[in-house]
Amino acid sequence: MTVAIHQTEAVADEPLELLRGMLAEQFALHTARLAELAVSEGLPDGGEDQHTLDVLATASRQAIRDAARALQRMAEGTYGLCENCHQSIPLGRLRAMPDARYCTRCRPHIGRRRWT
Ligand SMILES: [Zn+2]
């Protein structure tokens, strides 16, 4: 039934489904936001200035990319493993940031993005 390749045991199936849902949601939310930004950009009075629109669009594109990468890692079976030291990323960290690529130990040295 399952393919005989090494799969990560970092995240059990149940939370993995939950995290997958969160990532899909993040993907959908930011895709919708990008579309909204594109619309408001075309309006004479979009409410936000161009710089703000650019910043929001960049953040949304990044979030979409991160969510897509995380979903891909799930498909590949490497989700939940730090890309630097290959140790398991704690579930609590993944719950707070489902698209996390690094563990808490490596993150301060490598990551630069911070969710608010
Ligand atoms: Zn690490």
Side-chain angles (χ1 to χ4, degrees), residues 2-112:
T2 44
V3 191
I5 53 166
H6 180 72
Q7 293 270 322
T8 173
E9 290 168 21
V11 186
D13 283 350
E14 192 192 327
L16 194 64
E17 281 310 308
L18 185 81
L19 293 164
R20 194 197 305 274
M22 288 166 74
L23 286 164
E25 207 170 290
Q26 174 178 328
F27 191 92
L29 181 100
H30 286 281
T31 303
R33 187 168 296 169
L34 261 190
E36 278 170 30
L37 288 171
V39 169
S40 79
E41 206 168 11
L43 298 174
D45 181 17
E48 308 279 6
D49 62 80
Q50 189 58 48
H51 176 72
T52 306
L53 289 174
D54 286 347
V55 169
L56 291 171
T58 301
S60 282
R61 278 192 205 101
Q62 180 73 52
I64 290 166
R65 206 158 35 219
D66 289 347
R69 278 195 192 129
L71 288 165
Q72 189 183 352
R73 289 198 298 277
M74 281 184 181
E76 291 169 349
T78 58
Y79 181 78
L81 297 177
C82 174
E83 287 186 13
N84 185 56
C85 68
H86 307 290
Q87 299 295 306
S88 299
I89 300 173
L91 186 57
R93 174 162 165 75
L94 290 172
R95 281 215 170 98
M97 193 197 273
D99 60 2
R101 294 163 62 193
Y102 302 107
C103 69
T104 36
R105 229 164 24 132
C106 299
R107 165 69 177 75
H109 307 295
I110 297 162
R112 57 206 151 57

